[in-house]
Amino acid sequence: GIPGSVWALTAARLENWKQPRALEWKPHGGDDAAPNDPPLLRVPTALRGRVGDRGSDDMTSIAVGMGASTSSEARAKAGTNVDLDSRWHDLYQANEAAATAASLMDSRREWGSMKCARSLRFDLDGWRNYECFKKVPLRPHGRGRLLWDLLGAIFILYSLVAIPVEVAWDLTSINGIDVITLVYWVADIIVSFNTAHVREGVLVLSRSAVAKHYVANRFLFDVLLTTCDAACLFVTTPRSNTTVAILHLVRLARVVNVTRTSDNLEELCIDLGLQWLIVVYTVVQIVLSVFVVGHLFSCAWCGMGVHARFTGSFGWIDHYEADFGEGLSIGNQYLRAHSWISGHLLSAPIDRVMTLRSDDDHLFALCLIWVKLFVMGAGISKITGAIAELGRANAQSKDAKRKLHQVIQKAGLSKDASSRMIRFALHSASSKRASNLDPAISGLLSSTMAKELVVGQRMRTLSLHPLFNHISLRHSDIFSTLCSAFTPQVYADFEEVFVQGTLSERMYITCSGSWAISGTESSSGSGSEFDGIVWLCEVSLFARVLHTRTLVTRTFADSLTLTCSDLELCIRTSPACIVTIYRYARQLLSLINREDYDMVSLRIAQVAMDTAICRNMPEFPALKTITLSSSVKFSSAFDNLRSRRLKAVEELMQPILPFFPEATYGTGIYAGLEMDSERRRTVCALSSITVLLCDRHDLFTLEQAEHSRITDRQWEELQDVMRWLEPSQDMVHVVLAFLTIRGLSKSKLVLNTLGAYNLSPEEVLLLVVEKKPEIAPCCEMLSDDQKELLRQSIRFHTMFNFAQFLQGENSPFQIHAFQASVAAEGDAALKAYLLQIVGVMCGIRGDENPNCSLFMDAKNATTLITGLEVFRHLGTSSPQAIYWHYIASRAQQLRLPTENAEHFVFARIACLTRGRGAANGEVEAAWRRLNQSEQEALTDLLLSDGITRQNFVLKFLPAFFASAFNNPHVGLHSAFIVLVDMLESMKSSAFGRPRRARSCVVNMQDLASFTDKVRCSSVFLAVAGYLSFLEKASEVTVVVATAHMQRTSQRSWAESPAQEAALLVRRMRRQFAGFDGLRDSVGRSPAGASCSPVAQASVFSLAPFVDTVI
C-alpha cells in the first residue's frame, strides 16, 4: 500500500490541484489550458450515463494501495514442488502479527552472547570456551577445575608420602618438588577466588559473591596450611623438635581436599556410563586408602623406634638388631615396619620377631586395630556396593533373558531365532537404561531439571541440524521441550524402518548401528550403507508425502523420531519460532528434489535456514572493490551519445557504464550479492534507454525474432513519445540511476541491512537513497536536485502501478489520485517516471540477452505506446476519459466492438487476459452462460470507477484469469461464477459497507494460486465457501482455507451442505433474481406484444414457488 505520509501529502494538496502549474501542467477541462496542450479526451459515448467524467470534489482523504512496481501476474508465484501442510499455514497466519521479522534477525547481533549463555546452560564438559572463561568464573564441576584439582591431588599424595618419612627419620633436605608444591598452593588460593559455587541449586557466578563464600569457608584453612608449607620449607630446625614435627604433620590436613576431587572423578565415571569403570575406580580408592594408612602407621612405628634410640631407650629397632646381630638401614626399617603393619591391617601373617615390649607399643597396636576396623569396613562396604550395583543390572538382564527364553521355548522357535531375540532384548534393555531415567529417581527432579537432563543427552545430536541449532540458540525453552518430544526407537537387524511408496509420517535421526537405504525410481533401486548420525524424512514434518526410498537396518540400531504433531505442540507457544519454522519449511520445500523426499542434505537445510532468516552474507563484499569514476563528467558522456555512430551496443554503453558501477561484471554490488540475472536485466534496461535516446532502431531490434520485431512505424511512435518526454541530461541520469538500483530491493541482504522487512520495493529504494546511499554508489554522483527528482519519481512508483494500468487491473480512481500527486510534484517527475517505465519493461527479459530488449517486441510495444499516449492527456482530461480511452484503444487493436457497455466489459476482460479468448469468442461464450444477475454483478465490478461509485481493485485478477484459461478443470465460465461469489461474500461482510475511500484494493494471489493448482471442477466451484478476508494496512487479502487448499490434488469432491449452505443459497438467489426479471418483463409487456398466454400463465404460476424458496 501507499505510505501514510505520501497520502497525507496528496490529500493536503488535493484542493489546489486544479491550479495552473509550471512545466506545462494544466488541469483537465480548465479555461486556461495552453493552446499546445494535447486535445481533451472524453468518456466513450457507449459509457456515458454509466460512468462519470469528472473528479470527486468531496474526497478529502485517499486510503488505498496501488500495489508493487511490477505486474501482479508476473509476481504470482507458481508454488513449491510440495504443498505445505495446512496446520503450518494456520499457525503462521495466527502468529504473524505477534512475531515480526525484526525479532528473527536479532540472532545475528546476539550470536556471541547466546553462545556464551548456551555454554553456561547446556555444556556438560566444563571449560570449553575461553571467551566465556574470561567473562565468568570457573564452574566447580567443570573440566578446567577438575584438571586443576587432579594436579592438587597428586601434590597431596606426594605430601602424604614424603612428610611422614621426613618426620620419622629427621630428613631435612629441600628439593624442587617442595618449591613447586608451595607455588601450586599459593596459586590455588587465587583460583579458588575465581571458582563459582552452587547455593541451593543455583550456580553463583558473581565474583563478589564467590569471594565472600570462599573467605567465609576455606580461605583461612588454605592460608594456614600454605603458611605452614612456607615455614617448613625455610625453617632449618631439626624435625626431631616436637614443634617442628607438629608443624610438618599439620600440613597433612590438606588431605580433606581430596574428597572434593574424588567426588568429581566419580561423577565423571558415571557420565561416561561404564559400569566396570566405576568398580575399578572404587577398588583403586580402597587400595590407595589402605596404602596411605599403612604408610602413615609404618612411618609412625619407625619414628617410635628412632625416637627410642634417640632418647636412650631400647625400642623395637634395637631389639630387632640385637636378635639378628646386624644393623638396619632406613629402607630395611621401613620395609619391615610396613610388612608388619600391613599384616595387622589385612589379617595376614606377620613377623613374629617384631613384638610389643612397652606400653607405648601396646597403645600403638590398639590404635592400629581400631583404624583397621574402620578402613577395612569402609573398603568392604564400597566394594560390596559397587558389586551389588552391577549385580542388580545383571540381574535385570538375566531375569528378562530367562522370561523371554521361556516364551520362546513355548513358541517352538529355532535356536538361531531364539538367540537373535535374546540378544536384541538385551540390547534394547541396555539402550533404554541409557536413555530413560528410573522413575524413582526422576521423581526427585523438578520438571526443569528433567528437561535439562534430556537436553544434555540430545544436544550434540540435534545441534548438527541448522533448524534445531537455530532453535537452541534463539528459543532455549522451546528447544528443551523439543528434545523431550523426540521418541527413541530400537530396531533389530535387517528390519524395515519404512518402505518406498508408503506415507511418510515422521522424521528419523539415526543414532547408532549400521543402516542401508535403497534408491528412488531415478536410481533404479540402487542403495547405499551408512553409519552414524543421518537425518531422514525431514519433509514429513511440513508436508504429506510418500516415501521415495526404503530404509533397512543391517545391525541392531537406534534412532530418534519426531512427528509433525509433536513439533507443532512444542512450538505452539512461541510465535517467533512458528514464523521461523514456517519460512524455513517453505524454503526447504522449494529446494528439495521432487524425486527424493527422504534424504535432504544438511547443505540444502543450511541454505533454507539462511534464506529464512536473511543471513546470506555478513557484509557487502562488492563495496570494497567499487571505485567511482569522477575524472569524466556524465554531461560529456551524455553529449557524445548521439554524435557517435557505433556499430555495437557494447561500444555505445562503454562511456555510460562507469557512472553506474553496481552493474559492473565481477566487481559490482550485483556480483557481490550473487544476483547476476538481475545485473543482466539492469544492463539491458540501461542499454535500451541509451539506444532509444540515440534513435538506433537497428541496435534495438538486433536480436529480436523477425516475425515479432518492432516495426518502423512503432519505432517512430516511440521516438515521438521520447520527443514529448524531452529527456534532459539530469532526467536521463536520474532514470539510469533508478534502473541501476531498482534490483537491489530484491536482495534479502539489503533488506537485512536496512531493517526493511515489511516494506514495498519502492519504499526500500527510498530508504537506500535517503539513508544508505553507500549501498548505491551511482546515487552519490547525483546532485541535490537530481536526488530530489529521483525521490519524486520513486514516490510515483509507490502510488501508481503502470503495469497494472496496462493490463486493465486498476481503475480510474488510481489515475485520479495519481493526477493529484503529479500536480503537486510537477511535470518533470512525471516524465522521469514514464521514461523509467519504458526502461523497466525493456529489461524484463534482459537475463536472456543484456544487449537487446527481447521483451519489447511488436506486440508489447503496441500496448506500451497506447498507455503512454493516453498519459499525455493526464493534465487535460478526466481520469475516466483517460482510462476508458485506453480500454477502447486496446479493444480496437484486438478488433473488438465498443458500441455499448457490454462491449467495454469484454474489452476490459480482454486486457486482463492479454487478449486471450477475445478474438475467437471464448470470452463472450462464457459470458452468455451467466444469468442476468451474475452479468450485472460483473458489469458493475468492471465499469465502476471508484470516484463516483465505490469499486474493488482486484490485484492478481490477470493471474486468476490466466490460471482459469490454462487449467482445463476450471475454464472462464467457472472463474466468472467464483468471482461473483467472492464479490457477494465481500459485500455481505464489513468490507462491503460504505467506506471513506471509494476504492478498495483486494489481493487475490491466494485464490489465483488455488486456481492454477486445482484438479477438480467441483472443488474449484466450492472454493467461495472457504474464503476469508483479512484487512492488512490499506488492502484486503483473500485467503483460501488451508483445509480446502489441500484438496487441490483431489480428482473428486463430495459437497458439504453444512459448510457451503450460504454459497448455495446465494447462487439460488441469483438464479431466481434472473427469473424475477423475466416475470417483470412479461408483466410489463404491452398489448400485442409477442408473448403467448401459455408463457404468461407459466411464469405467474411459478411465482409463489420462487418466493417461497427464496
Side-chain angles (χ1 to χ4, degrees):
I2 300 176
S5 58
V6 178
W7 281 121
L9 175 64
T10 305
R13 298 177 178 176
L14 194 60
E15 292 300 326
N16 9 335
W17 77 283
K18 292 186 177 181
Q19 300 300 324
R21 294 279 178 178
L23 299 176
E24 299 183 355
W25 179 262
K26 303 297 180 184
H28 65 82
D31 297 333
D32 53 352
N36 293 330
D37 284 345
L40 182 67
L41 295 181
R42 295 292 184 185
V43 174
T45 306
L47 293 178
R48 291 181 184 176
R50 190 168 187 109
V51 300
D53 194 12
R54 59 179 179 85
S56 177
D57 297 331
D58 58 347
M59 292 179 62
T60 57
S61 64
I62 303 175
V64 61
M66 303 300 165
S69 60
T70 58
S71 75
S72 302
E73 184 178 354
R75 291 185 287 115
K77 297 181 180 179
T80 59
N81 291 335
V82 187
D83 290 333
L84 197 62
D85 193 277
S86 60
R87 71 186 73 193
W88 295 111
H89 289 290
D90 295 337
L91 280 175
Y92 178 75
Q93 292 174 5
N95 293 274
E96 182 184 10
T100 59
S103 65
L104 300 178
M105 301 312 303
D106 289 341
S107 59
R108 298 187 67 204
R109 296 186 292 270
E110 299 173 2
W111 180 269
S113 61
M114 287 187 299
K115 187 174 182 179
C116 183
R118 169 193 168 189
S119 176
L120 291 176
R121 182 165 185 175
F122 297 117
D123 183 13
L124 302 179
D125 295 334
W127 182 14
R128 296 179 60 184
N129 193 328
Y130 179 67
E131 294 298 324
C132 294
F133 168 73
K134 293 194 298 183
K135 299 177 182 179
V136 298
L138 288 171
R139 287 177 293 165
H141 305 294
R143 182 178 297 178
R145 183 68 202 195
L146 178 60
L147 294 176
W148 182 260
D149 288 341
L150 279 176
L151 183 59
I154 295 174
F155 286 124
I156 291 176
L157 184 61
Y158 167 76
S159 299
L160 288 174
V161 174
I163 291 176
V165 172
E166 293 174 357
V167 173
W169 283 280
D170 194 15
L171 302 177
T172 58
S173 61
I174 299 178
N175 52 43
I177 298 180
D178 295 327
V179 178
I180 294 174
T181 302
L182 176 61
V183 172
Y184 171 83
W185 293 118
V186 173
D188 182 67
I189 296 176
I190 300 175
V191 173
S192 297
F193 275 107
N194 193 51
T195 302
H197 66 277
V198 178
R199 182 172 59 196
E200 297 180 356
V202 178
L203 184 63
V204 179
L205 299 176
S206 172
R207 292 191 180 275
S208 60
V210 168
K212 291 179 181 179
H213 179 268
Y214 177 60
V215 170
N217 289 273
R218 292 180 43 241
F219 176 71
L220 294 179
F221 178 75
D222 290 345
V223 169
L224 175 63
L225 294 184
T226 305
T227 304
C228 293
D229 289 336
C232 294
L233 185 63
F234 298 107
V235 171
T236 59
T237 305
R239 287 167 174 77
S240 57
N241 185 287
T242 304
T243 304
V244 175
I246 293 175
L247 189 64
H248 278 275
L249 294 176
V250 167
R251 298 162 57 194
L252 297 179
R254 194 175 273 122
V255 72
V256 298
N257 292 339
V258 178
T259 306
R260 182 177 67 249
T261 306
S262 176
D263 294 340
N264 290 341
L265 286 174
E266 187 172 356
E267 290 181 5
L268 180 61
C269 293
I270 294 175
D271 290 340
L272 295 176
L274 301 176
Q275 295 290 337
W276 63 268
L277 186 59
I278 299 176
V279 176
V280 170
Y281 177 70
T282 303
V283 173
V284 170
Q285 273 187 310
I286 296 173
V287 171
L288 284 177
S289 300
V290 173
F291 169 77
V292 170
V293 171
H295 174 73
L296 292 176
F297 274 91
S298 299
C299 291
W301 183 241
C302 292
M304 292 176 61
V306 173
H307 181 71
R309 176 181 293 180
F310 179 75
T311 57
S313 303
F314 203 73
W316 71 268
I317 297 178
D318 298 320
H319 286 288
Y320 201 94
E321 291 178 350
D323 292 340
F324 285 92
E326 61 181 7
L328 295 176
S329 64
I330 294 178
N332 291 333
Q333 294 174 15
Y334 177 79
L335 181 62
R336 284 160 175 76
H338 197 81
S339 173
W340 185 74
I341 295 295
S342 298
H344 278 285
L345 288 176
L346 303 175
S347 300
I350 59 175
D351 190 355
R352 299 296 180 181
V353 177
M354 194 174 298
T355 58
L356 304 176
R357 300 180 184 275
S358 63
D359 294 338
D360 292 339
D361 294 347
H362 285 84
L363 182 62
F364 178 84
L366 184 62
C367 293
L368 180 61
I369 292 172
W370 285 104
V371 171
K372 168 188 173 181
L373 294 176
F374 175 78
V375 172
M376 295 307 298
I380 293 173
S381 176
K382 279 194 172 185
I383 292 179
T384 304
I387 295 176
E389 180 67 26
L390 287 177
R392 282 193 295 270
N394 294 332
Q396 293 176 0
S397 300
K398 290 180 180 179
D399 185 57
K401 181 178 179 180
R402 178 179 55 81
K403 292 180 179 179
L404 186 60
H405 190 69
Q406 293 176 355
V407 175
I408 292 174
Q409 280 185 338
K410 292 181 180 180
L413 298 179
S414 64
K415 287 290 185 181
D416 292 340
S418 174
S419 175
R420 179 169 172 265
M421 288 185 180
I422 291 174
R423 285 187 290 107
F424 176 73
L426 296 178
H427 170 77
S428 178
S430 175
S431 299
K432 290 181 179 179
R433 281 198 303 270
S435 59
N436 298 329
L437 194 62
D438 192 329
I441 304 300
S442 62
L444 303 177
L445 302 177
S446 66
S447 59
T448 303
M449 290 182 177
K451 288 182 179 180
E452 290 186 2
L453 181 61
V454 177
V455 169
Q457 292 175 332
R458 298 172 180 173
M459 176 72 178
R460 293 178 180 85
T461 300
L462 299 185
S463 61
L464 297 177
H465 193 278
L467 174 62
F468 296 104
N469 183 53
H470 176 79
I471 294 176
S472 70
L473 297 175
R474 291 287 296 147
H475 313 282
S476 57
D477 53 339
I478 300 297
F479 183 74
S480 61
T481 306
L482 191 59
C483 288
S484 303
F486 277 88
T487 304
Q489 303 286 348
V490 185
Y491 304 98
D493 51 339
F494 300 100
E495 181 176 347
E496 287 186 342
V497 181
F498 54 79
V499 181
Q500 182 179 2
T502 59
L503 183 63
S504 181
E505 297 179 332
R506 54 180 52 85
M507 179 184 69
Y508 298 84
I509 307 175
T510 61
C511 299
S512 63
S514 179
W515 309 73
I517 188 165
S518 55
T520 62
E521 297 178 358
S522 61
S523 59
S524 302
S526 62
S528 60
E529 296 187 6
F530 61 89
D531 300 319
I533 299 176
V534 176
W535 299 73
L536 300 171
C537 309
E538 183 185 355
V539 180
S540 64
L541 296 177
F542 312 115
R544 292 177 60 86
V545 296
L546 299 179
H547 286 295
T548 56
R549 293 173 178 260
T550 298
L551 180 66
V552 180
T553 60
R554 292 299 185 189
T555 61
F556 294 162
D558 302 271
S559 72
L560 295 173
T561 63
L562 180 68
T563 63
C564 180
S565 301
D566 292 337
L567 178 60
E568 178 192 3
L569 290 176
C570 292
I571 68 171
R572 184 172 288 274
T573 58
S574 175
C577 189
I578 289 172
V579 171
T580 301
I581 292 180
Y582 175 82
R583 293 177 177 174
Y584 167 80
R586 289 185 62 86
Q587 292 296 330
L588 181 71
L589 296 181
S590 66
L591 295 173
I592 60 175
N593 180 9
R594 182 186 291 270
E595 298 180 353
D596 192 1
Y597 295 142
D598 289 334
M599 295 196 71
V600 178
S601 67
L602 292 182
R603 180 186 61 81
I604 294 179
Q606 186 64 60
V607 172
M609 193 70 242
D610 289 343
T611 306
I613 63 176
C614 299
R615 199 176 65 215
N616 293 347
M617 289 182 290
E619 60 178 350
F620 286 102
L623 291 180
K624 300 177 181 179
T625 58
I626 288 179
T627 55
L628 301 180
S629 175
S630 58
S631 58
V632 181
K633 292 184 178 181
F634 183 81
S635 58
S636 59
F638 178 76
D639 294 337
N640 293 332
L641 277 178
R642 299 187 180 184
S643 60
R644 304 177 64 185
R645 192 70 181 178
L646 301 176
K647 298 181 179 180
V649 176
E650 294 87 347
E651 297 177 358
L652 195 64
M653 293 299 297
Q654 186 175 1
I656 298 296
L657 285 180
F659 295 93
F660 308 98
E662 293 88 341
T664 304
Y665 177 77
T667 60
I669 285 182
Y670 286 110
L673 295 174
E674 299 181 359
M675 300 174 64
D676 188 65
S677 296
E678 197 61 38
R679 183 197 67 82
R680 293 168 65 88
R681 280 190 284 267
T682 299
V683 173
C684 180
L686 297 177
S687 60
S688 298
I689 292 297
T690 305
V691 171
L692 278 171
L693 291 172
C694 296
D695 194 9
R696 295 294 302 273
H697 183 207
D698 55 333
L699 296 180
F700 193 90
T701 59
L702 186 62
E703 300 292 337
Q704 290 182 355
E706 185 174 357
H707 66 277
S708 61
R709 185 175 299 171
I710 290 182
T711 64
D712 294 340
R713 179 178 178 182
Q714 289 176 323
W715 182 258
E716 185 58 34
E717 291 175 347
L718 277 176
Q719 290 300 312
D720 183 57
V721 171
M722 297 296 290
R723 286 189 289 271
W724 169 69
L725 293 177
E726 297 178 344
S728 63
Q729 170 198 321
D730 290 342
M731 181 191 297
V732 173
H733 199 172
V734 167
V735 169
L736 297 183
F738 170 83
L739 296 175
T740 302
I741 68 174
R742 178 177 172 271
L744 297 178
S745 62
K746 304 177 184 179
S747 169
K748 292 184 180 296
L749 178 57
V750 174
L751 299 179
N752 179 28
T753 303
L754 299 175
Y757 312 110
N758 298 318
L759 300 182
S760 66
E762 293 77 18
E763 292 169 340
V764 173
L765 293 182
L766 283 176
L767 283 179
V768 170
V769 175
E770 295 176 356
K771 296 183 178 181
K772 288 286 185 180
E774 64 272 12
I775 296 179
C778 67
C779 295
E780 294 186 324
M781 290 186 285
L782 299 177
S783 63
D784 293 340
D785 293 339
Q786 290 174 333
K787 290 180 180 179
E788 179 59 27
L789 181 61
L790 177 60
R791 283 190 287 267
Q792 291 174 351
S793 61
I794 293 176
R795 284 195 288 269
F796 283 169
H797 284 280
T798 306
M799 297 187 64
F800 188 78
N801 193 321
F802 195 83
Q804 289 182 354
F805 168 73
L806 294 181
Q807 294 185 131
E809 191 173 350
N810 48 25
S811 68
F813 172 82
Q814 279 71 30
I815 299 178
H816 176 71
F818 188 58
Q819 283 179 327
S821 299
V822 172
E825 299 290 351
D827 191 43
L830 170 65
K831 294 182 177 181
Y833 165 78
L834 294 178
L835 188 56
Q836 290 166 2
I837 292 295
V838 175
V840 169
M841 296 190 67
C842 288
I844 288 179
R845 292 177 60 186
D847 55 331
E848 302 176 31
N849 188 338
N851 297 322
C852 174
S853 177
L854 299 180
F855 179 81
M856 194 54 62
D857 54 9
K859 177 182 176 181
N860 294 321
T862 300
T863 305
L864 176 63
I865 293 171
T866 304
L868 293 175
E869 285 291 340
V870 298
F871 258 63
R872 297 178 66 172
H873 306 271
L874 200 63
T876 59
S877 304
S878 68
Q880 295 96 332
I882 294 174
Y883 186 85
W884 293 113
H885 186 78
Y886 169 76
I887 297 297
S889 300
R890 292 287 293 132
Q892 183 179 2
Q893 295 165 4
L894 296 173
R895 298 180 181 180
L896 297 177
T898 55
E899 299 175 359
N900 53 44
E902 188 177 70
H903 290 163
F904 273 89
V905 172
F906 294 161
R908 189 175 176 192
I909 294 176
C911 292
L912 290 168
T913 59
R914 296 181 178 177
R916 182 173 179 178
N920 59 8
E922 187 175 352
V923 174
E924 185 175 359
W927 179 268
R928 299 303 178 197
R929 293 174 60 189
L930 300 175
N931 58 53
Q932 182 179 355
S933 179
E934 292 169 340
Q935 291 178 358
E936 289 179 354
L938 290 179
T939 301
D940 184 69
L941 168 70
L942 297 174
L943 297 185
S944 59
D945 54 19
I947 300 176
T948 59
R949 289 186 302 163
Q950 183 180 5
N951 81 323
F952 293 105
V953 177
L954 304 182
K955 293 172 60 177
F956 296 96
L957 185 58
F960 174 73
F961 283 144
S963 300
F965 267 116
N966 297 328
N967 194 335
H969 305 284
V970 179
L972 192 58
H973 176 256
S974 298
F976 284 156
I977 294 176
V978 170
L979 188 59
V980 174
D981 290 335
M982 185 193 75
L983 292 173
E984 290 188 350
S985 298
M986 291 190 61
K987 291 179 179 179
S988 62
S989 63
F991 305 113
R993 298 171 185 171
R995 303 163 64 95
R996 192 176 183 185
R998 297 186 180 181
S999 185
C1000 177
V1001 178
V1002 181
N1003 191 326
M1004 296 177 56
Q1005 183 177 10
D1006 205 29
L1007 182 58
S1009 176
F1010 176 84
T1011 307
D1012 181 60
K1013 298 177 182 178
V1014 69
R1015 292 297 176 264
C1016 176
S1017 58
S1018 299
V1019 173
F1020 176 74
L1021 289 173
V1023 70
Y1026 296 89
L1027 297 180
S1028 58
F1029 306 98
L1030 302 178
E1031 187 168 13
K1032 296 181 180 180
S1034 57
E1035 72 178 26
V1036 177
T1037 302
V1038 179
V1039 179
V1040 180
T1042 50
H1044 199 66
M1045 184 69 79
Q1046 297 295 320
R1047 302 184 182 117
T1048 54
S1049 58
Q1050 294 183 4
R1051 299 291 180 177
S1052 61
W1053 168 247
E1055 296 181 351
S1056 174
Q1059 179 72 21
E1060 304 165 22
L1063 176 62
L1064 295 175
V1065 169
R1066 283 199 298 268
R1067 289 179 179 172
M1068 290 176 62
R1069 188 182 295 275
R1070 292 201 300 264
Q1071 295 288 343
F1072 292 136
F1075 184 82
D1076 284 343
L1078 176 61
R1079 183 183 62 179
D1080 294 340
S1081 64
V1082 171
R1084 291 192 301 267
S1085 297
S1090 58
C1091 184
S1092 67
V1094 177
Q1096 295 184 18
S1098 301
V1099 170
F1100 286 104
S1101 63
L1102 288 175
F1105 170 74
V1106 172
D1107 294 336
T1108 302
V1109 173
I1110 293 179

